């Protein structure tokens, strides 16, 4: 099942969160991304609030050439980088993978030079999710 909302693209797969994460990382690498940040939301909420939460990770993915282009045309665009990809366990034990739509994010910046960069990254993130 694939979903598209104005600000993200997602797919649910019949994999554990751990297996889905391995595949997402491989596909990100295949599309020229590195993972700069990783937030284990489940562990953080347990540690900080002693709250139980489903497996949920946020991977901050970066494509260095695209990031360089974007920063060259809009110096504050770093406030919107890296591109977040989430993995979360669903109620039925599957894993949903979702990525931000950088085109939607960049619309608020009002710099037309960002659009082709954002479109390329959107397409690459869709490819990552589609290949898992």
């Amino acid at each position: 099942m694939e979903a598209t909302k104005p600000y993200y693209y997602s797919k649910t797969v019949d994999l554990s969160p751990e297996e889905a994460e391995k595949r997402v990382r491989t596909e990100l690498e295949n599309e020229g991304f590195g993972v700069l940040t990783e937030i284990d939301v489940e562990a953080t909420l347990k540690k900080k609030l002693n709250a139980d939460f489903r497996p949920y990770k946020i991977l901050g993915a970066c494509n260095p050439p695209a990031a360089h282009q974007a920063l060259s045309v809009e110096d504050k665009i770093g406030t919107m980088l890296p591109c977040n990809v989430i993995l979360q366990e669903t109620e039925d034990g599957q894993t949903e993978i979702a990525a931000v739509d950088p085109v939607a994010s960049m619309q608020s910046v009002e710099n037309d030079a960002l659009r082709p960069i954002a479109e390329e990254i959107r397409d690459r993130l869709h490819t990552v999710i589609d290949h898992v």
Side-chain angles (χ1 to χ4, degrees):
M1 174 169 105
E2 295 177 13
T4 303
K5 298 284 184 184
Y7 67 96
Y8 73 90
Y9 178 74
S10 74
K11 176 182 177 181
T12 301
V13 294
D14 192 16
L15 298 170
S16 70
E18 296 79 18
E19 184 58 32
E21 182 179 345
K22 287 178 195 172
R23 295 197 37 200
V24 165
R25 286 177 181 270
T26 297
E27 294 301 330
L28 283 168
E29 188 175 316
N30 290 344
E31 287 296 319
F33 291 90
V35 175
L36 300 178
T37 60
E38 177 182 328
I39 301 168
D40 185 333
V41 174
E42 177 187 28
T44 300
L45 293 177
K46 187 65 173 175
K47 181 178 179 181
K48 300 291 185 182
L49 302 175
N50 197 29
D52 293 325
F53 199 74
R54 67 188 172 281
Y56 191 115
K57 277 198 179 172
I58 304 169
L59 304 178
C62 178
N63 179 289
H68 181 252
Q69 286 179 318
L71 288 163
S72 295
V73 298
E74 184 70 43
D75 69 339
K76 306 299 185 289
I77 205 65
T79 61
M80 297 182 162
L81 301 177
C83 295
N84 285 336
V85 178
I86 66 164
L87 298 111
Q88 66 176 320
E89 188 174 77
T90 62
E91 288 183 15
D92 60 0
Q94 295 185 316
T95 301
E96 180 186 23
I97 305 158
V100 67
D101 180 345
V103 174
S105 298
M106 299 302 161
Q107 287 176 349
S108 64
V109 179
E110 298 179 3
N111 181 332
D112 292 338
L114 289 172
R115 186 161 186 86
I117 302 165
E119 287 172 347
E120 176 188 344
I121 294 304
R122 178 195 57 206
D123 294 345
R124 287 176 181 258
L125 290 171
H126 283 204
T127 297
V128 167
I129 291 173
D130 289 344
H131 285 169
V132 174

